[in-house]
Amino acid sequence: MFEDYFPKVIKQALEELSKIPTYGERTSSRFLYNFLKLPKEERDRLLESLIALNEQIKVCSECGLVSDMDPCRICQDPKRSKRFICVVEEPQDAYAIERIERYTGVYHVLGGRIAPLEGISPQDLNIDKLLERIEKNAVKEVIIATNPNLEGEATANYLIKLLKKRFSKLKVSRISHGLQFGSFVELADELSLEKSIEKRTSFP
Amino acid sequence: MFEDYFPKVIKQALEELSKIPTYGERTSSRFLYNFLKLPKEERDRLLESLIALNEQIKVCSECGLVSDMDPCRICQDPKRSKRFICVVEEPQDAYAIERIERYTGVYHVLGGRIAPLEGISPQDLNIDKLLERIEKNAVKEVIIATNPNLEGEATANYLIKLLKKRFSKLKVSRISHGLQFGSFVELADELSLEKSIEKRTSFP
């Protein structure tokens, strides 16, 4: 029987890995067998870093970023203006924008994008909290930095309409497309990302 | 500064992840941020399974398979004939063949394939040990099950020549191509894999 020969420790690890969102059989197997190619000391170090991450990670109750503090380091910093909110799909998008060290406002993580084919509608996104923050902090501008692809555009358009209707004086802008259509904010080179923020389009 | 805002636990985990073979910035980031989307209890369970794997995994000193025993469960089993050796690139290929529950010989893991462009030559593969096993166990047949792509074919051809020269009476065979050129043994459906072993070509 296959089960007699296939080690249970491998079987169990593959099962747990496949619970990670977007991880199928192939990606789980790729992680596991390549992990096992590392020398023992490097595997130990990797696991230690994941254990530390698992214990210390928090989700910011203000903006939804993953961080080691709640509120996160950005929301806590008095130098960051709460009157500018940059809306992103995922935490890694915010950290990609942070890397260019130009933006001085705060973020708001939607936790995804509108994708009817996958059954993801506006109610599944962190939008109510965004409206609450805009009101509470007398926000001047919301910069929408969802990904430059079909779902990201649909999500941006939905938010632009919603925000313009609710807050007539709010400036709502969208980062410009310096990026190739179909690509990801997280992967953009720093120059394109910087230009796309500088040249953002606003909706009067 | 970016470093003031980017949590060290994330930075460190990404650095360790990128040491995994074939893992770049993108794959490391995909693992990390999707891992963080799991509820805490599932993250705990996944880490426990990886810790168990890390502690219990061994590399079989006979065939090179990863297993929880050394010699591995297959090499230890008296029902498996040591006179038939199936040569694979990686451990996961052997386990894919195990899943069809038809092959009753043992395996030999090369630990890769010949790939001059990546600087991988025959000396980097676990070939000496294969020659030693063939001699020691009076092996009747070596079935070469490297992947059906350019590198896998080159590795198979290299081994066929080498083995036919060294062991004039040895039967050397290659699994037949029921599989699409460019695909992977690990991912083949069971029927194709079974047929490709049944209809293996031998080199008289």
Side-chain angles (χ1 to χ4, degrees), chain B residues 4 6 13 18 20 22 27 48 67 70 84-85 89 94 100 104 109 127-128 133 140 147 155-156 165 181 193:
Chain B
D4 301 333
F6 194 52
S18 67
I20 296 177
T22 81
T27 21
E48 274 163 34
S67 182
D70 178 22
F84 291 81
I85 295 182
E89 293 179 19
I100 60 179
T104 56
V109 178
I127 293 177
D128 288 347
R133 289 177 74 196
K140 270 188 173 169
N147 282 317
T155 309
K165 203 171 159 187
F181 194 85
L193 207 49

Side-chain angles (χ1 to χ4, degrees), chain A residues 20-67:
Chain A
I20 296 178
T22 80
Y23 267 57
E25 226 181 284
R26 173 96 188 106
T27 22
S28 300
S29 162
R30 181 182 173 193
F31 177 87
L32 185 136
Y33 290 104
N34 280 307
F35 169 72
L36 289 179
K37 285 192 159 186
L38 288 173
K40 178 71 162 60
E41 320 85 71
E42 291 197 9
R43 298 203 310 253
D44 288 347
R45 238 180 301 139
L46 169 54
L47 287 180
E48 274 163 34
S49 75
L50 290 178
I51 290 165
L53 179 75
N54 188 35
E55 294 304 326
Q56 292 170 42
I57 208 73
K58 290 165 183 59
V59 175
C60 178
S61 49
E62 196 59 27
C63 72
L65 259 187
V66 288
S67 182

Side-chain angles (χ1 to χ4, degrees), chain A residues 1-10 12-14 16-17 19-27 29-38 40 42-47 49-57 59 66-68 73-74 77 79-80 90-92 95-96 98-101 111-112 184 186-187, chain B residues 1-10 12-14 16-17 19-27 29-38 40 42-47 49-57 59 66-68 73-74 77 79-80 90-92 95-96 98-101 111-112 184 186-187:
Chain A
M1 289 284 286
F2 176 57
E3 278 72 30
D4 300 333
Y5 297 113
F6 194 52
K8 275 204 187 59
V9 280
I10 296 183
Q12 228 136 27
L14 286 174
E16 296 298 335
L17 284 165
K19 292 178 187 161
I20 296 178
T22 80
Y23 267 57
E25 226 181 284
R26 173 96 188 106
T27 22
S29 162
R30 181 182 173 193
F31 177 87
L32 185 136
Y33 290 104
N34 280 307
F35 169 72
L36 289 179
K37 285 192 159 186
L38 288 173
K40 178 71 162 60
E42 291 197 9
R43 298 203 310 253
D44 288 347
R45 238 180 301 139
L46 169 54
L47 287 180
S49 75
L50 290 178
I51 290 165
L53 179 75
N54 188 35
E55 294 304 326
Q56 292 170 42
I57 208 73
V59 175
V66 288
S67 182
D68 51 351
R73 290 167 177 269
I74 295 166
D77 189 337
K79 291 196 294 284
R80 307 292 296 244
E90 302 288 355
Q92 53 268 47
Y95 286 127
E98 278 304 286
R99 210 167 281 132
I100 60 179
E101 300 183 334
F184 299 89
E186 188 193 353
L187 296 180
Chain B
M1 289 285 285
F2 176 58
E3 277 71 30
D4 301 333
Y5 297 113
F6 194 52
K8 276 203 187 61
V9 279
I10 297 183
Q12 229 137 26
L14 287 175
E16 296 298 336
L17 283 165
K19 291 177 187 162
I20 296 177
T22 81
Y23 268 55
E25 227 181 282
R26 172 96 190 107
T27 21
S29 162
R30 181 182 173 195
F31 177 87
L32 185 138
Y33 290 104
N34 281 307
F35 169 72
L36 289 178
K37 285 193 160 187
L38 288 173
K40 178 71 161 63
E42 292 197 9
R43 297 202 310 254
D44 288 346
R45 237 180 302 140
L46 169 54
L47 287 180
S49 75
L50 291 178
I51 290 165
L53 179 75
N54 188 34
E55 294 305 327
Q56 292 170 43
I57 208 73
V59 175
V66 288
S67 182
D68 50 353
R73 290 167 177 270
I74 295 167
D77 189 337
K79 291 196 294 286
R80 307 291 296 245
E90 302 288 354
Q92 53 268 47
Y95 286 128
E98 279 304 284
R99 210 167 282 132
I100 60 179
E101 302 184 332
F184 298 90
E186 189 194 353
L187 295 179

Side-chain angles (χ1 to χ4, degrees), chain A residues 185-204:
Chain A
V185 168
E186 188 193 353
L187 296 180
D189 63 277
E190 303 191 356
L191 198 69
S192 309
L193 207 49
E194 190 172 342
K195 284 220 168 124
S196 76
I197 291 183
E198 268 175 7
K199 298 196 173 183
R200 61 190 184 266
T201 322
S202 74
F203 305 92

Side-chain angles (χ1 to χ4, degrees), chain A residues 66-118:
Chain A
V66 288
S67 182
D68 51 351
M69 292 177 169
D70 177 22
C72 73
R73 290 167 177 269
I74 295 166
C75 284
Q76 261 184 38
D77 189 337
K79 291 196 294 284
R80 307 292 296 244
S81 171
K82 292 205 165 18
R83 304 191 67 189
F84 292 81
I85 296 182
C86 177
V87 175
V88 291
E89 294 180 18
E90 302 288 355
Q92 53 268 47
D93 301 328
Y95 286 127
I97 293 172
E98 278 304 286
R99 210 167 281 132
I100 60 179
E101 300 183 334
R102 286 289 293 276
Y103 177 65
T104 56
V106 292
Y107 293 93
H108 191 84
V109 178
L110 294 174
R113 69 279 185 276
I114 301 172
L117 291 175
E118 295 166 41

